[in-house]
Amino acid sequence: MEMRVAETNLHRAHTQAARRGSLPESAQVEAGSEALDRRGMRSVITRGSAIFYEGDPADWVYKVVSGAVRTSKLMADGRRYIADFLFPGDFFGLNDRTYRTFTAEAICDAIIVRWPRHVFDGAVADDPRLGRFLLTMLCGGLSVAHDRMLLLGRKTAVERIASFLVEMAARESRDRIELPMTRADIADYLGLTVETVSRILTQLKTDRVIQLAGPTHVTILDEAALRGIAEGG
Amino acid sequence: MEMRVAETNLHRAHTQAARRGSLPESAQVEAGSEALDRRGMRSVITRGSAIFYEGDPADWVYKVVSGAVRTSKLMADGRRYIADFLFPGDFFGLNDRTYRTFTAEAICDAIIVRWPRHVFDGAVADDPRLGRFLLTMLCGGLSVAHDRMLLLGRKTAVERIASFLVEMAARESRDRIELPMTRADIADYLGLTVETVSRILTQLKTDRVIQLAGPTHVTILDEAALRGIAEGG
DNA sequence: CGCATAGTTGAACTCTCTCAACAGCCGTGG
DNA sequence: CCACGGCTGTTGAGAGAGTTCAACTATGCG
């Protein structure tokens, strides 16, 4: 299995979507993933430490085994943009550049697998199905990116938080959400501040839309309402 | 030449970047474009009218010959997000879905060429170089998308406008910029309002960074300053 | 000439940010 | 065992960037 792609990530959810969709080869691609996992190198990353930095050579491709990872970018004055949160099964660090355009850090203690980039390059060159698979994945990523640009450009703070919770719930495929990232991470992901994130979460709690049990546990009480808020209803 | 991709666009600038870059086949892909143009159907689109709407079947792939096109999305309450502006040489309407996820409209009177989607699909299936070419294009698009998410999530209004002008100047490859789109289009592209766009353009004019000759003509007087503002200097 | 559309400018407002204080949790060390 | 410091999260009050509402100008087209 090979992935020579832009600095991008493949969510397990996207992979599942592709399998449900029109691409027969995606199932076969997945079938090879166990063997692939065995070929990769495993690393344990402690909470907060970096897997790679913006500007590093892009020599490896990664997959999250356990824990969670964030990819981010910094402006010169320290403003931060979080590109993505990665959970078990998600690929990251795929790149068509020689150097990293993002930093990747472990949000909590995590285990990752990694493969040398040329292994992926070779596999893609050999198997045209992989190329098509990648195209589909990239298209999915681009579609998600456009949804997020709409969010960042036009949605209010409540709508952003609601959208975020809906997204996270979809990726955990249940109503009980674990949020391993800090409020600051969420803020930088949604273009808000820590305080606003905190305030709006308590507001949603007050409105009986969600339930909060500690900072990391969120339960969706009224999914319809949450989706309604997310879409600006 | 074939392009079965997400709802996305290929800027001529990206194509040029690819040619400068590591892909030898991109030149060959381009070499075939004249022949391709002859095989396509030409249409004249009058200012303001749609080429396709969100939800339409995605049967064709398009290229701008003259004029300019915008792709956009609407929220239920009318808030609009502009995904892209397309200029002569840019492809658009590439899609891996059966239906459109954007609306495409002519910003000014425009001529476009279009090809049935299956023509592109066939060509990509036949030529693995095309697949790789597309991957590179998509990666470029994703990279641009991330830059814009940073812009929408973390940049101030002045920084957004400055970034926009720098981007447009790059795509016209000179300091004299034509802005065929309205202030509302720019606002929906940058996540601002018409009034803010207008105010900040006059502010940049007052600061001698740009020169305005009518609403559509912008000349960059101090490119270094503009780039500095764009990056938050 | 009149109307519609696009752009600019002004003034008031508001959503979110900024600054600040405080609370809760956790690991460390006395 | 508790005290302490550091970090994260919450909450409050004030400030500000950008929006909203509104008036006015300019341009183009019938």
mmCIF file of all heavy atoms in Angstrom, chain B residues 174-218:
data_model
loop_
_atom_site.group_PDB
_atom_site.id
_atom_site.type_symbol
_atom_site.label_atom_id
_atom_site.label_comp_id
_atom_site.label_asym_id
_atom_site.label_seq_id
_atom_site.Cartn_x
_atom_site.Cartn_y
_atom_site.Cartn_z
ATOM 1 N N ARG B 174 1.794 39.739 -12.477
ATOM 2 C CA ARG B 174 2.235 41.134 -12.618
ATOM 3 C C ARG B 174 1.630 41.970 -11.491
ATOM 4 O O ARG B 174 0.812 41.473 -10.723
ATOM 5 C CB ARG B 174 1.811 41.686 -13.974
ATOM 6 C CG ARG B 174 0.323 41.549 -14.177
ATOM 7 C CD ARG B 174 -0.121 42.111 -15.493
ATOM 8 N NE ARG B 174 -1.419 41.530 -15.827
ATOM 9 C CZ ARG B 174 -2.188 41.974 -16.785
ATOM 10 N NH1 ARG B 174 -1.797 42.970 -17.544
ATOM 11 N NH2 ARG B 174 -3.363 41.423 -17.020
ATOM 12 N N ASP B 175 1.998 43.232 -11.418
ATOM 13 C CA ASP B 175 1.565 44.072 -10.313
ATOM 14 C C ASP B 175 0.256 44.811 -10.583
ATOM 15 O O ASP B 175 -0.346 45.386 -9.688
ATOM 16 C CB ASP B 175 2.663 45.090 -9.971
ATOM 17 C CG ASP B 175 3.813 44.415 -9.249
ATOM 18 O OD1 ASP B 175 3.645 43.250 -8.838
ATOM 19 O OD2 ASP B 175 4.870 45.042 -9.112
ATOM 20 N N ARG B 176 -0.153 44.762 -11.852
ATOM 21 C CA ARG B 176 -1.411 45.415 -12.192
ATOM 22 C C ARG B 176 -2.497 44.343 -12.184
ATOM 23 O O ARG B 176 -2.485 43.434 -13.017
ATOM 24 C CB ARG B 176 -1.296 46.020 -13.602
ATOM 25 C CG ARG B 176 -2.061 47.274 -13.755
ATOM 26 C CD ARG B 176 -1.504 48.183 -14.869
ATOM 27 N NE ARG B 176 -1.885 49.566 -14.647
ATOM 28 C CZ ARG B 176 -3.152 49.977 -14.643
ATOM 29 N NH1 ARG B 176 -4.127 49.123 -14.860
ATOM 30 N NH2 ARG B 176 -3.441 51.237 -14.426
ATOM 31 N N ILE B 177 -3.401 44.429 -11.236
ATOM 32 C CA ILE B 177 -4.396 43.377 -11.062
ATOM 33 C C ILE B 177 -5.747 43.812 -11.595
ATOM 34 O O ILE B 177 -6.184 44.942 -11.363
ATOM 35 C CB ILE B 177 -4.562 42.992 -9.576
ATOM 36 C CG1 ILE B 177 -3.196 42.837 -8.908
ATOM 37 C CG2 ILE B 177 -5.354 41.717 -9.440
ATOM 38 C CD1 ILE B 177 -3.289 42.677 -7.417
ATOM 39 N N GLU B 178 -6.389 42.903 -12.322
ATOM 40 C CA GLU B 178 -7.778 43.071 -12.717
ATOM 41 C C GLU B 178 -8.640 42.287 -11.738
ATOM 42 O O GLU B 178 -8.397 41.103 -11.516
ATOM 43 C CB GLU B 178 -8.004 42.494 -14.123
ATOM 44 C CG GLU B 178 -7.645 43.427 -15.248
ATOM 45 C CD GLU B 178 -8.583 44.624 -15.306
ATOM 46 O OE1 GLU B 178 -9.805 44.429 -15.072
ATOM 47 O OE2 GLU B 178 -8.099 45.733 -15.553
ATOM 48 N N LEU B 179 -9.631 42.940 -11.158
ATOM 49 C CA LEU B 179 -10.525 42.226 -10.246
ATOM 50 C C LEU B 179 -11.923 42.179 -10.863
ATOM 51 O O LEU B 179 -12.752 43.050 -10.582
ATOM 52 C CB LEU B 179 -10.574 42.913 -8.882
ATOM 53 C CG LEU B 179 -9.280 42.971 -8.073
ATOM 54 C CD1 LEU B 179 -9.518 43.689 -6.752
ATOM 55 C CD2 LEU B 179 -8.723 41.580 -7.823
ATOM 56 N N PRO B 180 -12.201 41.151 -11.670
ATOM 57 C CA PRO B 180 -13.506 41.099 -12.338
ATOM 58 C C PRO B 180 -14.655 40.831 -11.373
ATOM 59 O O PRO B 180 -15.804 41.111 -11.679
ATOM 60 C CB PRO B 180 -13.350 39.935 -13.320
ATOM 61 C CG PRO B 180 -12.298 39.077 -12.725
ATOM 62 C CD PRO B 180 -11.358 40.015 -12.033
ATOM 63 N N MET B 181 -14.334 40.303 -10.184
ATOM 64 C CA MET B 181 -15.391 39.972 -9.222
ATOM 65 C C MET B 181 -15.816 41.202 -8.426
ATOM 66 O O MET B 181 -15.080 42.182 -8.322
ATOM 67 C CB MET B 181 -14.919 38.860 -8.276
ATOM 68 C CG MET B 181 -13.836 39.233 -7.292
ATOM 69 S SD MET B 181 -12.218 39.568 -8.031
ATOM 70 C CE MET B 181 -11.649 37.904 -8.390
ATOM 71 N N THR B 182 -17.028 41.148 -7.866
ATOM 72 C CA THR B 182 -17.531 42.260 -7.058
ATOM 73 C C THR B 182 -16.926 42.214 -5.656
ATOM 74 O O THR B 182 -16.312 41.223 -5.259
ATOM 75 C CB THR B 182 -19.069 42.170 -6.899
ATOM 76 O OG1 THR B 182 -19.375 40.992 -6.146
ATOM 77 C CG2 THR B 182 -19.758 42.099 -8.251
ATOM 78 N N ARG B 183 -17.148 43.289 -4.902
ATOM 79 C CA ARG B 183 -16.696 43.328 -3.508
ATOM 80 C C ARG B 183 -17.382 42.232 -2.700
ATOM 81 O O ARG B 183 -16.785 41.656 -1.777
ATOM 82 C CB ARG B 183 -17.009 44.692 -2.894
ATOM 83 C CG ARG B 183 -16.293 45.856 -3.557
ATOM 84 C CD ARG B 183 -14.818 45.822 -3.297
ATOM 85 N NE ARG B 183 -14.155 47.016 -3.806
ATOM 86 C CZ ARG B 183 -13.474 47.076 -4.942
ATOM 87 N NH1 ARG B 183 -13.381 45.987 -5.702
ATOM 88 N NH2 ARG B 183 -12.896 48.194 -5.328
ATOM 89 N N ALA B 184 -18.627 41.933 -3.037
ATOM 90 C CA ALA B 184 -19.359 40.863 -2.337
ATOM 91 C C ALA B 184 -18.682 39.519 -2.576
ATOM 92 O O ALA B 184 -18.571 38.697 -1.663
ATOM 93 C CB ALA B 184 -20.815 40.826 -2.804
ATOM 94 N N ASP B 185 -18.227 39.293 -3.800
ATOM 95 C CA ASP B 185 -17.515 38.047 -4.102
ATOM 96 C C ASP B 185 -16.244 37.949 -3.271
ATOM 97 O O ASP B 185 -15.957 36.910 -2.669
ATOM 98 C CB ASP B 185 -17.160 37.988 -5.589
ATOM 99 C CG ASP B 185 -18.376 37.763 -6.475
ATOM 100 O OD1 ASP B 185 -19.388 37.228 -5.967
ATOM 101 O OD2 ASP B 185 -18.320 38.119 -7.659
ATOM 102 N N ILE B 186 -15.486 39.030 -3.232
ATOM 103 C CA ILE B 186 -14.247 39.035 -2.446
ATOM 104 C C ILE B 186 -14.555 38.774 -0.977
ATOM 105 O O ILE B 186 -13.891 37.980 -0.313
ATOM 106 C CB ILE B 186 -13.508 40.387 -2.604
ATOM 107 C CG1 ILE B 186 -13.141 40.624 -4.072
ATOM 108 C CG2 ILE B 186 -12.254 40.416 -1.738
ATOM 109 C CD1 ILE B 186 -12.513 41.988 -4.342
ATOM 110 N N ALA B 187 -15.610 39.448 -0.483
ATOM 111 C CA ALA B 187 -16.007 39.276 0.918
ATOM 112 C C ALA B 187 -16.328 37.812 1.218
ATOM 113 O O ALA B 187 -15.840 37.255 2.206
ATOM 114 C CB ALA B 187 -17.214 40.155 1.226
ATOM 115 N N ASP B 188 -17.102 37.176 0.352
ATOM 116 C CA ASP B 188 -17.487 35.785 0.598
ATOM 117 C C ASP B 188 -16.313 34.826 0.407
ATOM 118 O O ASP B 188 -16.325 33.708 0.899
ATOM 119 C CB ASP B 188 -18.643 35.380 -0.322
ATOM 120 C CG ASP B 188 -19.944 36.059 0.070
ATOM 121 O OD1 ASP B 188 -20.056 36.482 1.244
ATOM 122 O OD2 ASP B 188 -20.841 36.182 -0.775
ATOM 123 N N TYR B 189 -15.303 35.265 -0.307
ATOM 124 C CA TYR B 189 -14.092 34.458 -0.477
ATOM 125 C C TYR B 189 -13.212 34.545 0.758
ATOM 126 O O TYR B 189 -12.541 33.590 1.129
ATOM 127 C CB TYR B 189 -13.331 34.981 -1.699
ATOM 128 C CG TYR B 189 -12.107 34.191 -2.124
ATOM 129 C CD1 TYR B 189 -12.227 32.906 -2.629
ATOM 130 C CD2 TYR B 189 -10.845 34.746 -2.033
ATOM 131 C CE1 TYR B 189 -11.110 32.185 -3.035
ATOM 132 C CE2 TYR B 189 -9.715 34.035 -2.441
ATOM 133 C CZ TYR B 189 -9.866 32.756 -2.938
ATOM 134 O OH TYR B 189 -8.751 32.051 -3.337
ATOM 135 N N LEU B 190 -13.233 35.694 1.418
ATOM 136 C CA LEU B 190 -12.324 35.933 2.541
ATOM 137 C C LEU B 190 -13.003 35.878 3.904
ATOM 138 O O LEU B 190 -12.359 36.086 4.933
ATOM 139 C CB LEU B 190 -11.655 37.300 2.377
ATOM 140 C CG LEU B 190 -10.788 37.491 1.129
ATOM 141 C CD1 LEU B 190 -10.269 38.923 1.059
ATOM 142 C CD2 LEU B 190 -9.621 36.502 1.123
ATOM 143 N N GLY B 191 -14.298 35.592 3.922
ATOM 144 C CA GLY B 191 -14.999 35.539 5.189
ATOM 145 C C GLY B 191 -15.174 36.904 5.833
ATOM 146 O O GLY B 191 -15.069 37.054 7.042
ATOM 147 N N LEU B 192 -15.437 37.931 5.006
ATOM 148 C CA LEU B 192 -15.632 39.291 5.511
ATOM 149 C C LEU B 192 -16.953 39.830 4.972
ATOM 150 O O LEU B 192 -17.731 39.090 4.368
ATOM 151 C CB LEU B 192 -14.479 40.192 5.041
ATOM 152 C CG LEU B 192 -13.067 39.810 5.508
ATOM 153 C CD1 LEU B 192 -12.016 40.636 4.777
ATOM 154 C CD2 LEU B 192 -12.939 39.998 7.017
ATOM 155 N N THR B 193 -17.220 41.126 5.202
ATOM 156 C CA THR B 193 -18.391 41.761 4.599
ATOM 157 C C THR B 193 -17.937 42.720 3.510
ATOM 158 O O THR B 193 -16.769 43.126 3.464
ATOM 159 C CB THR B 193 -19.195 42.563 5.640
ATOM 160 O OG1 THR B 193 -18.339 43.548 6.210
ATOM 161 C CG2 THR B 193 -19.753 41.662 6.715
ATOM 162 N N VAL B 194 -18.875 43.095 2.642
ATOM 163 C CA VAL B 194 -18.588 44.045 1.573
ATOM 164 C C VAL B 194 -17.969 45.323 2.118
ATOM 165 O O VAL B 194 -16.983 45.830 1.589
ATOM 166 C CB VAL B 194 -19.892 44.457 0.848
ATOM 167 C CG1 VAL B 194 -19.594 44.997 -0.533
ATOM 168 C CG2 VAL B 194 -20.871 43.321 0.788
ATOM 169 N N GLU B 195 -18.570 45.821 3.188
ATOM 170 C CA GLU B 195 -18.131 47.099 3.752
ATOM 171 C C GLU B 195 -16.678 47.019 4.224
ATOM 172 O O GLU B 195 -15.888 47.930 3.968
ATOM 173 C CB GLU B 195 -19.043 47.497 4.918
ATOM 174 C CG GLU B 195 -20.477 47.820 4.519
ATOM 175 C CD GLU B 195 -21.382 46.596 4.589
ATOM 176 O OE1 GLU B 195 -20.862 45.476 4.440
ATOM 177 O OE2 GLU B 195 -22.590 46.767 4.807
ATOM 178 N N THR B 196 -16.343 45.931 4.894
ATOM 179 C CA THR B 196 -14.978 45.776 5.384
ATOM 180 C C THR B 196 -13.991 45.699 4.229
ATOM 181 O O THR B 196 -12.933 46.342 4.266
ATOM 182 C CB THR B 196 -14.858 44.509 6.266
ATOM 183 O OG1 THR B 196 -15.812 44.600 7.315
ATOM 184 C CG2 THR B 196 -13.480 44.369 6.859
ATOM 185 N N VAL B 197 -14.339 44.961 3.191
ATOM 186 C CA VAL B 197 -13.465 44.862 2.024
ATOM 187 C C VAL B 197 -13.215 46.255 1.455
ATOM 188 O O VAL B 197 -12.076 46.660 1.215
ATOM 189 C CB VAL B 197 -14.088 43.949 0.941
ATOM 190 C CG1 VAL B 197 -13.286 44.036 -0.352
ATOM 191 C CG2 VAL B 197 -14.161 42.516 1.436
ATOM 192 N N SER B 198 -14.294 46.999 1.287
ATOM 193 C CA SER B 198 -14.196 48.347 0.724
ATOM 194 C C SER B 198 -13.330 49.253 1.592
ATOM 195 O O SER B 198 -12.401 49.911 1.105
ATOM 196 C CB SER B 198 -15.610 48.922 0.585
ATOM 197 O OG SER B 198 -15.562 50.193 0.010
ATOM 198 N N ARG B 199 -13.630 49.270 2.869
ATOM 199 C CA ARG B 199 -12.875 50.105 3.800
ATOM 200 C C ARG B 199 -11.380 49.785 3.782
ATOM 201 O O ARG B 199 -10.542 50.692 3.755
ATOM 202 C CB ARG B 199 -13.397 49.870 5.225
ATOM 203 C CG ARG B 199 -14.483 50.823 5.632
ATOM 204 C CD ARG B 199 -14.854 50.603 7.086
ATOM 205 N NE ARG B 199 -16.080 49.830 7.219
ATOM 206 C CZ ARG B 199 -17.286 50.376 7.249
ATOM 207 N NH1 ARG B 199 -17.437 51.684 7.149
ATOM 208 N NH2 ARG B 199 -18.367 49.635 7.380
ATOM 209 N N ILE B 200 -11.048 48.513 3.765
ATOM 210 C CA ILE B 200 -9.640 48.135 3.872
ATOM 211 C C ILE B 200 -8.899 48.411 2.577
ATOM 212 O O ILE B 200 -7.724 48.786 2.587
ATOM 213 C CB ILE B 200 -9.538 46.673 4.320
ATOM 214 C CG1 ILE B 200 -10.039 46.614 5.762
ATOM 215 C CG2 ILE B 200 -8.112 46.150 4.173
ATOM 216 C CD1 ILE B 200 -9.695 45.425 6.531
ATOM 217 N N LEU B 201 -9.602 48.280 1.451
ATOM 218 C CA LEU B 201 -8.957 48.631 0.178
ATOM 219 C C LEU B 201 -8.626 50.117 0.158
ATOM 220 O O LEU B 201 -7.530 50.507 -0.245
ATOM 221 C CB LEU B 201 -9.864 48.250 -0.997
ATOM 222 C CG LEU B 201 -9.868 46.764 -1.368
ATOM 223 C CD1 LEU B 201 -10.926 46.470 -2.429
ATOM 224 C CD2 LEU B 201 -8.493 46.315 -1.859
ATOM 225 N N THR B 202 -9.544 50.947 0.634
ATOM 226 C CA THR B 202 -9.249 52.386 0.656
ATOM 227 C C THR B 202 -8.152 52.707 1.667
ATOM 228 O O THR B 202 -7.349 53.611 1.449
ATOM 229 C CB THR B 202 -10.506 53.228 0.951
ATOM 230 O OG1 THR B 202 -11.088 52.784 2.167
ATOM 231 C CG2 THR B 202 -11.516 53.132 -0.166
ATOM 232 N N GLN B 203 -8.128 51.933 2.766
ATOM 233 C CA GLN B 203 -7.062 52.135 3.754
ATOM 234 C C GLN B 203 -5.690 51.815 3.145
ATOM 235 O O GLN B 203 -4.733 52.596 3.305
ATOM 236 C CB GLN B 203 -7.316 51.236 4.960
ATOM 237 C CG GLN B 203 -6.253 51.351 6.049
ATOM 238 C CD GLN B 203 -6.350 50.195 7.053
ATOM 239 O OE1 GLN B 203 -7.447 49.797 7.444
ATOM 240 N NE2 GLN B 203 -5.200 49.669 7.454
ATOM 241 N N LEU B 204 -5.608 50.709 2.414
ATOM 242 C CA LEU B 204 -4.344 50.334 1.765
ATOM 243 C C LEU B 204 -3.952 51.379 0.717
ATOM 244 O O LEU B 204 -2.774 51.641 0.490
ATOM 245 C CB LEU B 204 -4.468 48.952 1.120
ATOM 246 C CG LEU B 204 -4.524 47.755 2.078
ATOM 247 C CD1 LEU B 204 -4.824 46.472 1.315
ATOM 248 C CD2 LEU B 204 -3.218 47.618 2.848
ATOM 249 N N LYS B 205 -4.960 51.957 0.098
ATOM 250 C CA LYS B 205 -4.722 53.024 -0.885
ATOM 251 C C LYS B 205 -4.166 54.267 -0.172
ATOM 252 O O LYS B 205 -3.177 54.855 -0.612
ATOM 253 C CB LYS B 205 -6.043 53.360 -1.593
ATOM 254 C CG LYS B 205 -6.010 54.534 -2.531
ATOM 255 C CD LYS B 205 -7.420 54.807 -3.022
ATOM 256 C CE LYS B 205 -7.561 56.164 -3.681
ATOM 257 N NZ LYS B 205 -9.000 56.497 -3.886
ATOM 258 N N THR B 206 -4.811 54.636 0.934
ATOM 259 C CA THR B 206 -4.355 55.777 1.732
ATOM 260 C C THR B 206 -2.911 55.573 2.204
ATOM 261 O O THR B 206 -2.121 56.518 2.230
ATOM 262 C CB THR B 206 -5.263 55.961 2.967
ATOM 263 O OG1 THR B 206 -6.620 56.013 2.537
ATOM 264 C CG2 THR B 206 -4.903 57.232 3.715
ATOM 265 N N ASP B 207 -2.580 54.322 2.547
ATOM 266 C CA ASP B 207 -1.246 54.001 3.041
ATOM 267 C C ASP B 207 -0.221 53.857 1.912
ATOM 268 O O ASP B 207 0.919 53.426 2.153
ATOM 269 C CB ASP B 207 -1.270 52.701 3.871
ATOM 270 C CG ASP B 207 -2.114 52.841 5.133
ATOM 271 O OD1 ASP B 207 -2.479 53.985 5.466
ATOM 272 O OD2 ASP B 207 -2.404 51.816 5.765
ATOM 273 N N ARG B 208 -0.644 54.134 0.676
ATOM 274 C CA ARG B 208 0.251 54.078 -0.494
ATOM 275 C C ARG B 208 0.809 52.674 -0.763
ATOM 276 O O ARG B 208 1.910 52.538 -1.294
ATOM 277 C CB ARG B 208 1.440 55.033 -0.340
ATOM 278 C CG ARG B 208 1.077 56.468 0.029
ATOM 279 C CD ARG B 208 0.678 57.251 -1.185
ATOM 280 N NE ARG B 208 0.249 58.608 -0.816
ATOM 281 C CZ ARG B 208 -0.563 59.357 -1.547
ATOM 282 N NH1 ARG B 208 -1.034 58.897 -2.699
ATOM 283 N NH2 ARG B 208 -0.909 60.556 -1.171
ATOM 284 N N VAL B 209 0.081 51.653 -0.345
ATOM 285 C CA VAL B 209 0.522 50.285 -0.617
ATOM 286 C C VAL B 209 -0.029 49.833 -1.969
ATOM 287 O O VAL B 209 0.623 49.124 -2.723
ATOM 288 C CB VAL B 209 0.061 49.316 0.503
ATOM 289 C CG1 VAL B 209 0.476 47.887 0.197
ATOM 290 C CG2 VAL B 209 0.620 49.765 1.839
ATOM 291 N N ILE B 210 -1.239 50.270 -2.264
ATOM 292 C CA ILE B 210 -1.829 49.979 -3.569
ATOM 293 C C ILE B 210 -2.395 51.255 -4.173
ATOM 294 O O ILE B 210 -2.477 52.301 -3.506
ATOM 295 C CB ILE B 210 -2.979 48.944 -3.463
ATOM 296 C CG1 ILE B 210 -4.100 49.487 -2.567
ATOM 297 C CG2 ILE B 210 -2.466 47.607 -2.937
ATOM 298 C CD1 ILE B 210 -5.352 48.655 -2.561
ATOM 299 N N GLN B 211 -2.797 51.143 -5.422
ATOM 300 C CA GLN B 211 -3.416 52.259 -6.122
ATOM 301 C C GLN B 211 -4.720 51.741 -6.692
ATOM 302 O O GLN B 211 -4.766 50.613 -7.215
ATOM 303 C CB GLN B 211 -2.478 52.702 -7.246
ATOM 304 C CG GLN B 211 -2.838 54.014 -7.899
ATOM 305 C CD GLN B 211 -1.787 54.391 -8.939
ATOM 306 O OE1 GLN B 211 -0.591 54.407 -8.647
ATOM 307 N NE2 GLN B 211 -2.231 54.635 -10.151
ATOM 308 N N LEU B 212 -5.788 52.513 -6.581
ATOM 309 C CA LEU B 212 -7.082 52.068 -7.102
ATOM 310 C C LEU B 212 -7.502 52.967 -8.257
ATOM 311 O O LEU B 212 -7.548 54.184 -8.114
ATOM 312 C CB LEU B 212 -8.150 52.115 -6.004
ATOM 313 C CG LEU B 212 -7.965 51.167 -4.819
ATOM 314 C CD1 LEU B 212 -9.013 51.441 -3.747
ATOM 315 C CD2 LEU B 212 -8.047 49.730 -5.286
ATOM 316 N N ALA B 213 -7.813 52.327 -9.399
ATOM 317 C CA ALA B 213 -8.356 53.072 -10.530
ATOM 318 C C ALA B 213 -9.683 52.426 -10.898
ATOM 319 O O ALA B 213 -9.735 51.481 -11.672
ATOM 320 C CB ALA B 213 -7.386 53.051 -11.703
ATOM 321 N N GLY B 214 -10.750 52.927 -10.304
ATOM 322 C CA GLY B 214 -12.035 52.270 -10.456
ATOM 323 C C GLY B 214 -12.071 51.013 -9.606
ATOM 324 O O GLY B 214 -11.052 50.595 -9.072
ATOM 325 N N PRO B 215 -13.229 50.396 -9.493
ATOM 326 C CA PRO B 215 -13.363 49.244 -8.595
ATOM 327 C C PRO B 215 -12.564 48.018 -9.050
ATOM 328 O O PRO B 215 -12.196 47.194 -8.225
ATOM 329 C CB PRO B 215 -14.861 48.929 -8.641
ATOM 330 C CG PRO B 215 -15.511 50.126 -9.224
ATOM 331 C CD PRO B 215 -14.510 50.752 -10.118
ATOM 332 N N THR B 216 -12.285 47.907 -10.351
ATOM 333 C CA THR B 216 -11.698 46.662 -10.839
ATOM 334 C C THR B 216 -10.185 46.720 -11.036
ATOM 335 O O THR B 216 -9.549 45.677 -11.152
ATOM 336 C CB THR B 216 -12.349 46.243 -12.178
ATOM 337 O OG1 THR B 216 -12.122 47.276 -13.131
ATOM 338 C CG2 THR B 216 -13.840 46.013 -12.002
ATOM 339 N N HIS B 217 -9.617 47.908 -11.070
ATOM 340 C CA HIS B 217 -8.178 48.025 -11.312
ATOM 341 C C HIS B 217 -7.400 48.286 -10.029
ATOM 342 O O HIS B 217 -7.630 49.294 -9.372
ATOM 343 C CB HIS B 217 -7.887 49.174 -12.285
ATOM 344 C CG HIS B 217 -7.988 48.776 -13.710
ATOM 345 N ND1 HIS B 217 -9.204 48.535 -14.325
ATOM 346 C CD2 HIS B 217 -7.039 48.551 -14.648
ATOM 347 C CE1 HIS B 217 -8.992 48.192 -15.586
ATOM 348 N NE2 HIS B 217 -7.697 48.193 -15.819
ATOM 349 N N VAL B 218 -6.476 47.398 -9.724
ATOM 350 C CA VAL B 218 -5.613 47.593 -8.564
ATOM 351 C C VAL B 218 -4.167 47.501 -9.016
ATOM 352 O O VAL B 218 -3.792 46.584 -9.755
ATOM 353 C CB VAL B 218 -5.870 46.527 -7.476
ATOM 354 C CG1 VAL B 218 -4.956 46.752 -6.280
ATOM 355 C CG2 VAL B 218 -7.321 46.528 -7.041
#
